PDB file of all heavy atoms in Angstrom:
ATOM      1  N   ASP A 153      -2.109 -20.281  28.109  1.00  0.00           N
ATOM      2  CA  ASP A 153      -2.130 -18.807  28.167  1.00  0.00           C
ATOM      3  C   ASP A 153      -3.452 -18.247  27.641  1.00  0.00           C
ATOM      4  O   ASP A 153      -4.018 -17.335  28.219  1.00  0.00           O
ATOM      5  CB  ASP A 153      -0.995 -18.210  27.316  1.00  0.00           C
ATOM      6  CG  ASP A 153       0.355 -18.357  27.990  1.00  0.00           C
ATOM      7  OD1 ASP A 153       0.379 -18.559  29.222  1.00  0.00           O
ATOM      8  OD2 ASP A 153       1.380 -18.282  27.287  1.00  0.00           O
ATOM      9  N   GLU A 154      -3.907 -18.786  26.517  1.00  0.00           N
ATOM     10  CA  GLU A 154      -5.025 -18.157  25.796  1.00  0.00           C
ATOM     11  C   GLU A 154      -6.392 -18.675  26.254  1.00  0.00           C
ATOM     12  O   GLU A 154      -7.370 -17.930  26.254  1.00  0.00           O
ATOM     13  CB  GLU A 154      -4.857 -18.393  24.289  1.00  0.00           C
ATOM     14  CG  GLU A 154      -3.662 -17.616  23.725  1.00  0.00           C
ATOM     15  CD  GLU A 154      -3.251 -18.079  22.335  1.00  0.00           C
ATOM     16  OE1 GLU A 154      -3.997 -18.871  21.719  1.00  0.00           O
ATOM     17  OE2 GLU A 154      -2.170 -17.652  21.882  1.00  0.00           O
ATOM     18  N   THR A 155      -6.474 -19.941  26.612  1.00  0.00           N
ATOM     19  CA  THR A 155      -7.770 -20.525  26.986  1.00  0.00           C
ATOM     20  C   THR A 155      -7.769 -20.952  28.447  1.00  0.00           C
ATOM     21  O   THR A 155      -8.672 -20.606  29.197  1.00  0.00           O
ATOM     22  CB  THR A 155      -8.082 -21.740  26.080  1.00  0.00           C
ATOM     23  OG1 THR A 155      -7.960 -21.327  24.718  1.00  0.00           O
ATOM     24  CG2 THR A 155      -9.481 -22.273  26.335  1.00  0.00           C
ATOM     25  N   GLY A 156      -6.747 -21.689  28.819  1.00  0.00           N
ATOM     26  CA  GLY A 156      -6.615 -22.104  30.213  1.00  0.00           C
ATOM     27  C   GLY A 156      -7.380 -23.377  30.529  1.00  0.00           C
ATOM     28  O   GLY A 156      -8.316 -23.769  29.811  1.00  0.00           O
ATOM     29  N   ILE A 157      -6.972 -24.042  31.589  1.00  0.00           N
ATOM     30  CA  ILE A 157      -7.662 -25.253  32.050  1.00  0.00           C
ATOM     31  C   ILE A 157      -7.975 -25.137  33.543  1.00  0.00           C
ATOM     32  O   ILE A 157      -8.215 -26.135  34.217  1.00  0.00           O
ATOM     33  CB  ILE A 157      -6.837 -26.533  31.748  1.00  0.00           C
ATOM     34  CG1 ILE A 157      -5.483 -26.531  32.468  1.00  0.00           C
ATOM     35  CG2 ILE A 157      -6.638 -26.711  30.240  1.00  0.00           C
ATOM     36  CD1 ILE A 157      -4.741 -27.876  32.376  1.00  0.00           C
ATOM     37  N   GLY A 158      -7.967 -23.898  34.042  1.00  0.00           N
ATOM     38  CA  GLY A 158      -8.159 -23.707  35.482  1.00  0.00           C
ATOM     39  C   GLY A 158      -6.864 -24.020  36.217  1.00  0.00           C
ATOM     40  O   GLY A 158      -5.852 -24.381  35.605  1.00  0.00           O
ATOM     41  N   ARG A 159      -6.919 -23.886  37.529  1.00  0.00           N
ATOM     42  CA  ARG A 159      -5.696 -24.144  38.321  1.00  0.00           C
ATOM     43  C   ARG A 159      -5.245 -25.592  38.102  1.00  0.00           C
ATOM     44  O   ARG A 159      -6.044 -26.526  38.217  1.00  0.00           O
ATOM     45  CB  ARG A 159      -5.997 -23.893  39.807  1.00  0.00           C
ATOM     46  CG  ARG A 159      -4.783 -24.034  40.713  1.00  0.00           C
ATOM     47  CD  ARG A 159      -5.129 -23.683  42.163  1.00  0.00           C
ATOM     48  NE  ARG A 159      -6.187 -24.532  42.696  1.00  0.00           N
ATOM     49  CZ  ARG A 159      -5.991 -25.778  43.172  1.00  0.00           C
ATOM     50  NH1 ARG A 159      -4.778 -26.303  43.172  1.00  0.00           N
ATOM     51  NH2 ARG A 159      -7.003 -26.483  43.635  1.00  0.00           N
ATOM     52  N   ILE A 160      -3.986 -25.736  37.767  1.00  0.00           N
ATOM     53  CA  ILE A 160      -3.452 -27.098  37.563  1.00  0.00           C
ATOM     54  C   ILE A 160      -3.011 -27.620  38.925  1.00  0.00           C
ATOM     55  O   ILE A 160      -2.163 -27.015  39.587  1.00  0.00           O
ATOM     56  CB  ILE A 160      -2.267 -27.079  36.568  1.00  0.00           C
ATOM     57  CG1 ILE A 160      -2.746 -26.566  35.206  1.00  0.00           C
ATOM     58  CG2 ILE A 160      -1.653 -28.477  36.446  1.00  0.00           C
ATOM     59  CD1 ILE A 160      -1.640 -26.317  34.199  1.00  0.00           C
ATOM     60  N   TYR A 161      -3.637 -28.723  39.347  1.00  0.00           N
ATOM     61  CA  TYR A 161      -3.330 -29.235  40.691  1.00  0.00           C
ATOM     62  C   TYR A 161      -2.431 -30.472  40.663  1.00  0.00           C
ATOM     63  O   TYR A 161      -1.800 -30.797  41.658  1.00  0.00           O
ATOM     64  CB  TYR A 161      -4.628 -29.544  41.469  1.00  0.00           C
ATOM     65  CG  TYR A 161      -5.533 -30.509  40.746  1.00  0.00           C
ATOM     66  CD1 TYR A 161      -5.439 -31.888  40.966  1.00  0.00           C
ATOM     67  CD2 TYR A 161      -6.473 -30.058  39.823  1.00  0.00           C
ATOM     68  CE1 TYR A 161      -6.247 -32.769  40.288  1.00  0.00           C
ATOM     69  CE2 TYR A 161      -7.289 -30.951  39.136  1.00  0.00           C
ATOM     70  CZ  TYR A 161      -7.170 -32.292  39.376  1.00  0.00           C
ATOM     71  OH  TYR A 161      -7.965 -33.184  38.687  1.00  0.00           O
ATOM     72  N   HIS A 162      -2.368 -31.150  39.501  1.00  0.00           N
ATOM     73  CA  HIS A 162      -1.518 -32.342  39.458  1.00  0.00           C
ATOM     74  C   HIS A 162      -1.060 -32.596  38.019  1.00  0.00           C
ATOM     75  O   HIS A 162      -1.797 -32.308  37.063  1.00  0.00           O
ATOM     76  CB  HIS A 162      -2.275 -33.573  39.978  1.00  0.00           C
ATOM     77  CG  HIS A 162      -1.415 -34.797  40.115  1.00  0.00           C
ATOM     78  ND1 HIS A 162      -0.400 -34.898  41.039  1.00  0.00           N
ATOM     79  CD2 HIS A 162      -1.406 -35.972  39.430  1.00  0.00           C
ATOM     80  CE1 HIS A 162       0.189 -36.088  40.927  1.00  0.00           C
ATOM     81  NE2 HIS A 162      -0.399 -36.756  39.955  1.00  0.00           N
ATOM     82  N   VAL A 163       0.143 -33.123  37.900  1.00  0.00           N
ATOM     83  CA  VAL A 163       0.703 -33.475  36.589  1.00  0.00           C
ATOM     84  C   VAL A 163       1.225 -34.900  36.657  1.00  0.00           C
ATOM     85  O   VAL A 163       1.846 -35.287  37.652  1.00  0.00           O
ATOM     86  CB  VAL A 163       1.877 -32.530  36.216  1.00  0.00           C
ATOM     87  CG1 VAL A 163       2.483 -32.919  34.870  1.00  0.00           C
ATOM     88  CG2 VAL A 163       1.424 -31.079  36.207  1.00  0.00           C
ATOM     89  N   ARG A 164       0.934 -35.680  35.613  1.00  0.00           N
ATOM     90  CA  ARG A 164       1.576 -36.993  35.476  1.00  0.00           C
ATOM     91  C   ARG A 164       2.538 -36.879  34.309  1.00  0.00           C
ATOM     92  O   ARG A 164       2.116 -36.526  33.202  1.00  0.00           O
ATOM     93  CB  ARG A 164       0.557 -38.088  35.173  1.00  0.00           C
ATOM     94  CG  ARG A 164      -0.490 -38.260  36.245  1.00  0.00           C
ATOM     95  CD  ARG A 164      -1.361 -39.478  35.952  1.00  0.00           C
ATOM     96  NE  ARG A 164      -2.484 -39.530  36.864  1.00  0.00           N
ATOM     97  CZ  ARG A 164      -3.755 -39.347  36.491  1.00  0.00           C
ATOM     98  NH1 ARG A 164      -4.075 -39.134  35.218  1.00  0.00           N
ATOM     99  NH2 ARG A 164      -4.716 -39.399  37.383  1.00  0.00           N
ATOM    100  N   ALA A 165       3.808 -37.138  34.565  1.00  0.00           N
ATOM    101  CA  ALA A 165       4.808 -36.961  33.506  1.00  0.00           C
ATOM    102  C   ALA A 165       5.744 -38.153  33.475  1.00  0.00           C
ATOM    103  O   ALA A 165       6.240 -38.588  34.526  1.00  0.00           O
ATOM    104  CB  ALA A 165       5.597 -35.682  33.753  1.00  0.00           C
ATOM    105  N   SER A 166       5.993 -38.659  32.283  1.00  0.00           N
ATOM    106  CA  SER A 166       6.877 -39.830  32.207  1.00  0.00           C
ATOM    107  C   SER A 166       7.577 -39.904  30.851  1.00  0.00           C
ATOM    108  O   SER A 166       7.114 -39.344  29.860  1.00  0.00           O
ATOM    109  CB  SER A 166       6.070 -41.116  32.424  1.00  0.00           C
ATOM    110  OG  SER A 166       5.094 -41.251  31.406  1.00  0.00           O
ATOM    111  N   TRP A 167       8.690 -40.613  30.871  1.00  0.00           N
ATOM    112  CA  TRP A 167       9.361 -41.042  29.633  1.00  0.00           C
ATOM    113  C   TRP A 167       9.740 -42.485  29.903  1.00  0.00           C
ATOM    114  O   TRP A 167      10.525 -42.761  30.814  1.00  0.00           O
ATOM    115  CB  TRP A 167      10.595 -40.188  29.347  1.00  0.00           C
ATOM    116  CG  TRP A 167      11.243 -40.450  28.000  1.00  0.00           C
ATOM    117  CD1 TRP A 167      11.251 -41.591  27.279  1.00  0.00           C
ATOM    118  CD2 TRP A 167      11.996 -39.483  27.236  1.00  0.00           C
ATOM    119  NE1 TRP A 167      11.957 -41.422  26.106  1.00  0.00           N
ATOM    120  CE2 TRP A 167      12.427 -40.138  26.050  1.00  0.00           C
ATOM    121  CE3 TRP A 167      12.363 -38.155  27.425  1.00  0.00           C
ATOM    122  CZ2 TRP A 167      13.206 -39.494  25.088  1.00  0.00           C
ATOM    123  CZ3 TRP A 167      13.136 -37.523  26.460  1.00  0.00           C
ATOM    124  CH2 TRP A 167      13.538 -38.191  25.292  1.00  0.00           C
ATOM    125  N   LYS A 168       9.152 -43.401  29.149  1.00  0.00           N
ATOM    126  CA  LYS A 168       9.348 -44.824  29.437  1.00  0.00           C
ATOM    127  C   LYS A 168       9.813 -45.565  28.191  1.00  0.00           C
ATOM    128  O   LYS A 168       9.295 -45.341  27.097  1.00  0.00           O
ATOM    129  CB  LYS A 168       8.031 -45.442  29.927  1.00  0.00           C
ATOM    130  CG  LYS A 168       7.587 -44.864  31.258  1.00  0.00           C
ATOM    131  CD  LYS A 168       6.315 -45.525  31.766  1.00  0.00           C
ATOM    132  CE  LYS A 168       5.105 -44.948  31.118  1.00  0.00           C
ATOM    133  NZ  LYS A 168       3.835 -45.381  31.709  1.00  0.00           N
ATOM    134  N   ARG A 169      10.774 -46.438  28.398  1.00  0.00           N
ATOM    135  CA  ARG A 169      11.236 -47.301  27.307  1.00  0.00           C
ATOM    136  C   ARG A 169      11.153 -48.757  27.741  1.00  0.00           C
ATOM    137  O   ARG A 169      11.332 -49.060  28.919  1.00  0.00           O
ATOM    138  CB  ARG A 169      12.705 -47.000  26.966  1.00  0.00           C
ATOM    139  CG  ARG A 169      12.922 -45.642  26.353  1.00  0.00           C
ATOM    140  CD  ARG A 169      14.408 -45.413  26.109  1.00  0.00           C
ATOM    141  NE  ARG A 169      14.663 -44.128  25.488  1.00  0.00           N
ATOM    142  CZ  ARG A 169      15.848 -43.546  25.425  1.00  0.00           C
ATOM    143  NH1 ARG A 169      16.902 -44.133  25.981  1.00  0.00           N
ATOM    144  NH2 ARG A 169      16.002 -42.388  24.832  1.00  0.00           N
ATOM    145  N   ARG A 170      10.950 -49.608  26.768  1.00  0.00           N
ATOM    146  CA  ARG A 170      10.977 -51.046  27.067  1.00  0.00           C
ATOM    147  C   ARG A 170      12.423 -51.557  27.082  1.00  0.00           C
ATOM    148  O   ARG A 170      12.848 -52.218  28.030  1.00  0.00           O
ATOM    149  CB  ARG A 170      10.168 -51.810  26.017  1.00  0.00           C
ATOM    150  CG  ARG A 170      10.138 -53.290  26.300  1.00  0.00           C
ATOM    151  CD  ARG A 170       9.096 -53.988  25.467  1.00  0.00           C
ATOM    152  NE  ARG A 170       9.071 -55.410  25.780  1.00  0.00           N
ATOM    153  CZ  ARG A 170       8.159 -56.235  25.324  1.00  0.00           C
ATOM    154  NH1 ARG A 170       7.198 -55.794  24.541  1.00  0.00           N
ATOM    155  NH2 ARG A 170       8.195 -57.503  25.638  1.00  0.00           N
ATOM    156  N   SER A 171      13.165 -51.240  26.020  1.00  0.00           N
ATOM    157  CA  SER A 171      14.584 -51.597  25.941  1.00  0.00           C
ATOM    158  C   SER A 171      15.318 -50.391  25.403  1.00  0.00           C
ATOM    159  O   SER A 171      15.479 -50.256  24.195  1.00  0.00           O
ATOM    160  CB  SER A 171      14.796 -52.778  24.991  1.00  0.00           C
ATOM    161  OG  SER A 171      14.602 -53.977  25.666  1.00  0.00           O
ATOM    162  N   GLY A 172      15.763 -49.538  26.304  1.00  0.00           N
ATOM    163  CA  GLY A 172      16.334 -48.277  25.830  1.00  0.00           C
ATOM    164  C   GLY A 172      17.493 -47.770  26.647  1.00  0.00           C
ATOM    165  O   GLY A 172      17.713 -46.562  26.762  1.00  0.00           O
ATOM    166  N   ILE A 173      18.293 -48.694  27.207  1.00  0.00           N
ATOM    167  CA  ILE A 173      19.505 -48.243  27.907  1.00  0.00           C
ATOM    168  C   ILE A 173      20.503 -47.830  26.830  1.00  0.00           C
ATOM    169  O   ILE A 173      20.833 -48.628  25.948  1.00  0.00           O
ATOM    170  CB  ILE A 173      20.077 -49.354  28.816  1.00  0.00           C
ATOM    171  CG1 ILE A 173      19.031 -49.772  29.854  1.00  0.00           C
ATOM    172  CG2 ILE A 173      21.351 -48.876  29.499  1.00  0.00           C
ATOM    173  CD1 ILE A 173      19.461 -50.901  30.770  1.00  0.00           C
ATOM    174  N   PRO A 174      20.957 -46.560  26.848  1.00  0.00           N
ATOM    175  CA  PRO A 174      21.695 -46.054  25.698  1.00  0.00           C
ATOM    176  C   PRO A 174      23.079 -46.634  25.475  1.00  0.00           C
ATOM    177  O   PRO A 174      23.625 -46.505  24.407  1.00  0.00           O
ATOM    178  CB  PRO A 174      21.779 -44.542  25.968  1.00  0.00           C
ATOM    179  CG  PRO A 174      21.500 -44.364  27.400  1.00  0.00           C
ATOM    180  CD  PRO A 174      20.683 -45.525  27.847  1.00  0.00           C
ATOM    181  N   GLY A 175      23.662 -47.297  26.450  1.00  0.00           N
ATOM    182  CA  GLY A 175      24.968 -47.896  26.174  1.00  0.00           C
ATOM    183  C   GLY A 175      25.391 -48.686  27.384  1.00  0.00           C
ATOM    184  O   GLY A 175      25.990 -48.146  28.303  1.00  0.00           O
ATOM    185  N   LEU A 176      25.080 -49.984  27.381  1.00  0.00           N
ATOM    186  CA  LEU A 176      25.354 -50.773  28.588  1.00  0.00           C
ATOM    187  C   LEU A 176      26.843 -50.899  28.863  1.00  0.00           C
ATOM    188  O   LEU A 176      27.240 -51.313  29.934  1.00  0.00           O
ATOM    189  CB  LEU A 176      24.733 -52.165  28.446  1.00  0.00           C
ATOM    190  CG  LEU A 176      23.361 -52.331  29.104  1.00  0.00           C
ATOM    191  CD1 LEU A 176      22.780 -53.695  28.790  1.00  0.00           C
ATOM    192  CD2 LEU A 176      23.439 -52.139  30.604  1.00  0.00           C
ATOM    193  N   THR A 177      27.650 -50.570  27.880  1.00  0.00           N
ATOM    194  CA  THR A 177      29.095 -50.688  28.120  1.00  0.00           C
ATOM    195  C   THR A 177      29.776 -49.332  27.985  1.00  0.00           C
ATOM    196  O   THR A 177      30.989 -49.261  27.883  1.00  0.00           O
ATOM    197  CB  THR A 177      29.717 -51.668  27.107  1.00  0.00           C
ATOM    198  OG1 THR A 177      29.270 -51.265  25.804  1.00  0.00           O
ATOM    199  CG2 THR A 177      29.274 -53.086  27.370  1.00  0.00           C
ATOM    200  N   SER A 178      29.018 -48.266  28.003  1.00  0.00           N
ATOM    201  CA  SER A 178      29.619 -46.950  27.777  1.00  0.00           C
ATOM    202  C   SER A 178      29.546 -46.090  29.035  1.00  0.00           C
ATOM    203  O   SER A 178      29.075 -46.524  30.084  1.00  0.00           O
ATOM    204  CB  SER A 178      28.868 -46.241  26.655  1.00  0.00           C
ATOM    205  OG  SER A 178      27.646 -45.749  27.153  1.00  0.00           O
ATOM    206  N   TRP A 179      29.932 -44.815  28.883  1.00  0.00           N
ATOM    207  CA  TRP A 179      29.910 -43.879  30.004  1.00  0.00           C
ATOM    208  C   TRP A 179      28.502 -43.657  30.529  1.00  0.00           C
ATOM    209  O   TRP A 179      28.327 -43.271  31.682  1.00  0.00           O
ATOM    210  CB  TRP A 179      30.543 -42.549  29.588  1.00  0.00           C
ATOM    211  CG  TRP A 179      29.795 -41.778  28.528  1.00  0.00           C
ATOM    212  CD1 TRP A 179      29.998 -41.803  27.181  1.00  0.00           C
ATOM    213  CD2 TRP A 179      28.713 -40.862  28.749  1.00  0.00           C
ATOM    214  NE1 TRP A 179      29.102 -40.968  26.545  1.00  0.00           N
ATOM    215  CE2 TRP A 179      28.308 -40.373  27.488  1.00  0.00           C
ATOM    216  CE3 TRP A 179      28.032 -40.405  29.879  1.00  0.00           C
ATOM    217  CZ2 TRP A 179      27.263 -39.457  27.330  1.00  0.00           C
ATOM    218  CZ3 TRP A 179      27.001 -39.498  29.723  1.00  0.00           C
ATOM    219  CH2 TRP A 179      26.633 -39.038  28.461  1.00  0.00           C
ATOM    220  N   PHE A 180      27.478 -43.893  29.697  1.00  0.00           N
ATOM    221  CA  PHE A 180      26.093 -43.622  30.092  1.00  0.00           C
ATOM    222  C   PHE A 180      25.680 -44.404  31.345  1.00  0.00           C
ATOM    223  O   PHE A 180      24.780 -43.994  32.057  1.00  0.00           O
ATOM    224  CB  PHE A 180      25.127 -43.988  28.956  1.00  0.00           C
ATOM    225  CG  PHE A 180      24.895 -42.885  27.965  1.00  0.00           C
ATOM    226  CD1 PHE A 180      25.557 -42.859  26.753  1.00  0.00           C
ATOM    227  CD2 PHE A 180      24.004 -41.854  28.245  1.00  0.00           C
ATOM    228  CE1 PHE A 180      25.338 -41.833  25.830  1.00  0.00           C
ATOM    229  CE2 PHE A 180      23.778 -40.833  27.335  1.00  0.00           C
ATOM    230  CZ  PHE A 180      24.443 -40.819  26.127  1.00  0.00           C
TER     231      PHE A 180
END
Side-chain angles (χ1 to χ4, degrees):
D153 285 340
E154 291 166 10
T155 307
I157 62 171
R159 184 176 59 81
I160 298 172
Y161 56 91
H162 187 67
V163 178
R164 299 187 189 112
S166 62
W167 187 331
K168 295 183 279 189
R169 292 178 179 165
R170 181 167 181 172
S171 275
I173 301 178
L176 263 174
T177 50
S178 77
W179 66 266
F180 273 100

